[in-house]
Structure formats: structure tokens, C-alpha cells
Amino acid sequence: MNKPAILALEDGSVFHGTAIGADGQTSGEVVFNTAMTGYQEILTDPSYTRQIVTLTYPHIGNTGVNAEDVESGGIAAAGLVIRDLPLIASNFRSEQTLSDYLKSQNVLGIADIDTRRLTRILRDKGAQKGAILAGPDAEGEDAVERALEAAKAFPGLKGMDLAKVVSCQAPYQWSEGEWDLGSGHADAPQGEHPFHVVAFDYGIKRNIMRMLASRGCRLSVVPAQTPAAEVLAMNPDGVFLANGPGDPEPCDYAIKAIEQLLETDIPLFGICLGHQLLALASGAKTVKMSHGHHGANHPVQDLDTGKVMITSQNHGFAADESTLPATLRATHRSLFDGTLQGIERTDRPAFSFQGHPEASPGPRDVAPLFDRFVAMMQARR
């Protein structure tokens, strides 16, 4: 039998639908994602921590779920909102239905609502505090009132330091390479691994590590709060600043470490939250965006070449281009709203990109940034 579910927003909007995951209650920042594929990669992206993700594509769950496509240890999103969950999941790689996957991870989901109306609200009013009630929690005359109270009680992501929450607790090594049809994830290239990269885990996605490993990098992943001195003691050829959730400004431990690393000649490469942290460590400021960028179809222009790339995006904060100091220059810009997408230091071998060049999910247009990082380490040699 179908179980009821309620989605409530801080502005008073209420949606009644069907529960497709665990029973109970969850709250978070409600955002919309325009990607047509990759729902499993989206759900397991740690950058979605404390966010309820609305997928604008109407049919979600067609291809089921498999163990190879996860981007972390489990679902990171606080909840899932979709229009329609197909009755049958069909794919030769499918191991589980989306609904069963949500239940097994104790994550709430709601289907059978008007996601077009919801998307318009989020587009016009910005990301909203929200809550989902599912199963018995969504029953009773006061269910709507309880859902609205839960939505308004969420504190919001501004000022919330989540990088240290989702980060690994101890350092570890990574060697798995990129996935290929028929053979799965490749082992790291045989023979020498010419470059040792230390990666700060602020919520790192696995395909980022796979793309670095496939390029011959030996990866040492360290917790978000690791001091710069410990990283330097590992004698890295390069340092990677990972993606992650929450507000970058409270991450003073990361900003301090990056400032100290910038005093050396070690190449630095940042993605997403790592991009914002590099900007802060260099003297720029960040801002909370209205509804952020979430999707796999975002056009970004390379300001040096004029080339336009279609990119995967997931962020609610951005580096403020108007605050860039003389030591930073803009390299990429969003063609959706003109926000800053890439920076590089003019005095150090350090650069960063706001989007997700690892393409999980999404296009591979920006993958050459990994090659640039490797070339910088080679040049330092």
C-alpha cells in the first residue's frame, strides 16, 4: 500500500505525495537539480549533506541502483523529491531499486508531487528551508502543521561548517582508477606512480580520486582538519582541495592550512568547496547564492580561450569576483548568471574550479583540468 508523505517549505508551501523511502522526518535546504541522469551519484555526493534534492527530470529510478556508481560511503542528501518513480527498474547493471536503496540507507523520499511548481518556487524565491514527513509521521490532522514547523526550524546552511563533519576520520590511500564498460573500475596503472598527491577530504567524491589515480597519481587522503605541517611532512608533489558541503567561511582550519601551503611552491588544485577555500585563503570573499547551481548542463566559459564548456555543478556558495586581490585572477565564468567559476594565483602554482570536472554525473568537458594539475607537478620536478 502507498504511504503518505508531505513536503513543506518555509514559505508555507505544502506538497502531498507518496513516500518512496524510509519513514520518519527529515529537514534541510531544498534545492533543485536539472540533471537528466546520475541520480545515484547525486544522492551520494557529500556536497549535498543537509540538503533535500529535487530532481526536475520527471522519471527517476528507471535504471535502478548499483554498487559501482556511488560517490561516497552512502547517501549524503537529507532527502529526495521526484515527480514519478517507475514501477520497474531495468538495466543490466541494476542491483537494487531506488526505493529499496533509500529504505536501506534510512533516507526519506517523496514522489507524485508537482516538481514543476516546486522548481518555480525555488527559482523565484531561492533555496528554501524544508522538511519531509513520511509514513505514519505524515498522518494525522496536525501533520501539515508539524511539517511546516520542522521546515522553519532548520537553521540554514549559512554559517554551517559541514566539511569536518563529512570528512574521513583518519588518513588513507586510494588507488582505484576510472570505470570502463565491461571491466569496471581499473586498478591504478602498473609500474611507477610518479606523483604523490595529498588530498584534503572536505567531502571528496570518489571519481575525483579515480581520475587522479588514472593519471598516475599516488593519493594520500587526509581529514579536513589536518594541519599544513603534517601535509608537508608527507612530501607531496601536489595538494588537492576537495569538494564538500556547507559554508566555506567557518572552515578556519582549512583556510589556515591553505594559507601556509601557499607559502611553498607545491601545486594546489581545488574543486567546489576547495575552490572557495582557495579564494578565502588568498584574501577574497564568498557569498551565499540565491538558489545555487545544481545540474549537469551548465555552460561555463574559459576566459583565456573563449571556449564554452558544458559542466556539472553543485554549489550554493560562490567566490565573489569583485573581491579578488591582485594575486588572484578569474579564469572561468558561468554563462547562466555570470558568477565566478575558476581562479588561479598569479604568484603561485595554484588554481581552482567551481564545477565538477570529474563528471559524476555530467559531461567530461572540463576533465583536462586534471591534466593541467599533473603538468604543474611535472613542471615543478
Side-chain angles (χ1 to χ4, degrees), residues 340-379:
L340 187 63
Q341 281 281 324
I343 55 174
E344 71 173 10
R345 287 286 296 243
T346 59
D347 59 339
R348 292 287 187 272
F351 73 105
S352 60
F353 187 74
Q354 178 62 78
H356 285 262
E358 80 284 351
S360 282
R364 303 178 66 89
D365 294 22
V366 200
L369 289 184
F370 290 99
D371 300 320
R372 177 183 175 186
F373 183 44
V374 171
M376 290 170 65
M377 291 187 286
Q378 180 66 55

Side-chain angles (χ1 to χ4, degrees), residues 239-273:
V239 175
F240 178 75
L241 312 174
N243 62 290
D247 189 342
E249 287 190 3
C251 303
D252 52 352
Y253 50 88
I255 297 169
K256 180 180 179 181
I258 296 168
E259 288 174 345
Q260 294 173 354
L261 290 169
L262 285 170
E263 294 174 0
T264 73
D265 65 345
I266 299 173
L268 268 67
F269 175 28
I271 288 177
C272 189
L273 181 65

